[in-house]
Amino acid sequence: MPSFEVAIVGGGLCGLSVAIALKNRSIPFTVYEARSSFTELGHGINIGPNALEAFRLIDSSLGEAIYKLCTRNAPGKEDVWFQIRFGAPSGKHHDGELIMELMSPPTGNMTVIRNELLQLLAEMAGLERARFNKKLVELSQDSSGVTLHFADSTQAHATVLIASDGIHSAARRAVLGASNPATEALYSGMGAYRAVVPMSVLSSSIGHEQARTSQIYLGPGAYVIMYPIERGKKVNVGFWPWRREPWHLREWTLPGQRIEMERDFAKWGATVHKIMNVMGDPSFFATHHHTVQPESLVEGRVCLIGDAAHSMPPHQGAGAGQAMEDAYVIAELLSKVDRQKPIQRQIDAAFKGYEAVRKQRSAKVAETSQEAMDWWTGFYNEDVSDEKIEQFTREADEKFRWIWHDDIAGQARSAIKIMEQLLEL
């Protein structure tokens, strides 16, 4: 084994992005994936300005490659993140009326199919450094590094471990312990009725303009989101109500929830009812996230990143971007570790630099993502005033600009500076 070897647990979008970043920096690594292949479930994933910039910093060719995979809004609306509209009549405002266009140049609402993006990342990372059917069950550490214990009774050893194994992170559980309140993701008190609808069907129902451009509808006690996917052939739709009662089910997805959806959105306007009419019998997905965060994202030679570190509700479309920022910053720090004679002091300094820069920002994004559900669902009433619309428009720009337009390369420089200062002590 090389003197410096990085183990990456979890071969999802975050883990493979780390792998590409390490490969480009000539750092030896192995990806350990619990499944038999690299596979991502789900449909579209949003790529905002910060996520695209992080991909470019990870690998300069990734940005252009992702552009080729992505679906964007209709011509002339490419820089629109979402058009935000009334989901029901309100005073002088009619159903479907445009409240504002929230702009996010240069990406707008770029979407890519999760599995298509994963296959691109897997190709760039290289399958030769992947080990499949490796379900992590335990970790142990000593002065030489980390030993990974898998369900198939095999083991692997590495200098450091980067845990990117998602919201159900086995590495997080191994580090924190099963009884720690920060270990398990908990129900968020909300969820979504989800469906994928053919673009032609939705266009016939509500018109091409709204169907072809990403939309958010605000109405009584909920919000509706939809955006084009698969090069504009289909539309991903999510109806987001509160469901505050406790979630006792083991599964997070309930199939066949049309009756419940119609009940929750009965008081909405004609446009949303037309969308419901073409959704079939959708499932309800109960969102979960880590409501309690660990005191540290680092334990010895183990570092948590992505959803393993800071899972969050999707109400700002920010989870993927935070994972990519993590991947870039940790790779830049690891590139500063002596690869022939890595010592604990260097690793400690690198991880402290990572945590000093990334923990506060990702925690703030996670917190505001939870708060955004209240913001989206709290806008509507039966007579929304002009003053409230003006306030909402100002808040919209404030709520997203700091997420989209942070200096990601500057994050890495700050983390490296902290690392270097610690090593000078």
Side-chain angles (χ1 to χ4, degrees), residues 13 16 20 55 61-69 112 114-126:
L13 300 177
L16 291 182
I20 294 168
F55 276 126
S61 67
L62 255 180
E64 186 61 32
I66 289 171
Y67 258 121
K68 293 179 181 178
L69 285 181
V112 61
R114 285 179 176 269
N115 203 52
E116 287 187 3
L117 177 56
L118 189 76
Q119 299 313 313
L120 169 66
L121 298 179
E123 181 181 352
M124 294 185 70

Side-chain angles (χ1 to χ4, degrees), residues 310-354:
H310 43 68
S311 63
M312 60 190 69
H315 308 303
Q316 294 180 130
Q322 290 309 292
M324 297 312 115
E325 290 181 25
D326 286 349
Y328 167 66
V329 172
I330 196 63
E332 284 289 280
L333 286 160
L334 292 178
S335 72
K336 304 302 179 183
V337 174
D338 188 331
R339 295 170 209 180
Q340 297 306 312
K341 295 181 180 179
I343 60 175
Q344 185 68 47
R345 189 162 172 264
Q346 292 177 337
I347 294 166
D348 288 344
F351 283 175
K352 286 178 180 177
Y354 165 81

Side-chain angles (χ1 to χ4, degrees), residues 379-393:
F379 170 80
Y380 179 85
N381 59 51
E382 292 183 354
D383 191 7
V384 176
S385 66
D386 291 342
E387 290 77 16
K388 188 170 186 178
I389 293 174
E390 290 173 6
Q391 179 184 356
F392 179 88
T393 302

Side-chain angles (χ1 to χ4, degrees), residues 299-314:
E299 177 63 35
R301 296 191 177 210
V302 179
C303 182
L304 305 176
I305 71 171
D307 280 352
H310 43 68
S311 63
M312 60 190 69

Side-chain angles (χ1 to χ4, degrees), residues 221-363:
Y223 77 96
V224 172
I225 185 171
M226 66 183 197
Y227 48 84
I229 59 173
E230 296 188 21
R231 286 80 172 172
K233 296 178 181 177
K234 297 180 180 179
V235 181
N236 201 18
V237 181
F239 280 47
W240 285 89
W242 289 100
R243 275 199 185 180
R244 298 182 189 275
E245 65 272 16
W247 190 267
H248 298 298
L249 302 176
R250 179 181 177 86
E251 297 297 326
W252 293 3
T253 303
L254 291 177
Q257 295 291 295
R258 181 169 186 82
I259 293 174
E260 290 78 6
M261 178 180 68
E262 290 177 341
R263 176 200 65 205
D264 288 343
F265 290 84
K267 296 181 180 180
W268 283 58
T271 302
V272 165
H273 279 268
K274 289 177 181 178
I275 298 170
M276 280 197 287
N277 289 341
V278 298
M279 288 175 65
D281 195 3
S283 296
F284 180 82
F285 177 74
T287 58
H288 291 63
H289 71 287
H290 292 108
T291 58
V292 179
Q293 296 302 326
E295 292 184 8
S296 175
L297 303 179
V298 173
E299 177 63 35
R301 296 191 177 210
V302 179
C303 182
L304 305 176
I305 71 171
D307 280 352
H310 43 68
S311 63
M312 60 190 69
H315 308 303
Q316 294 180 130
Q322 290 309 292
M324 297 312 115
E325 290 181 25
D326 286 349
Y328 167 66
V329 172
I330 196 63
E332 284 289 280
L333 286 160
L334 292 178
S335 72
K336 304 302 179 183
V337 174
D338 188 331
R339 295 170 209 180
Q340 297 306 312
K341 295 181 180 179
I343 60 175
Q344 185 68 47
R345 189 162 172 264
Q346 292 177 337
I347 294 166
D348 288 344
F351 283 175
K352 286 178 180 177
Y354 165 81
E355 188 161 47
V357 169
R358 291 296 307 144
K359 185 180 180 184
Q360 182 177 3
R361 173 167 163 81
S362 61

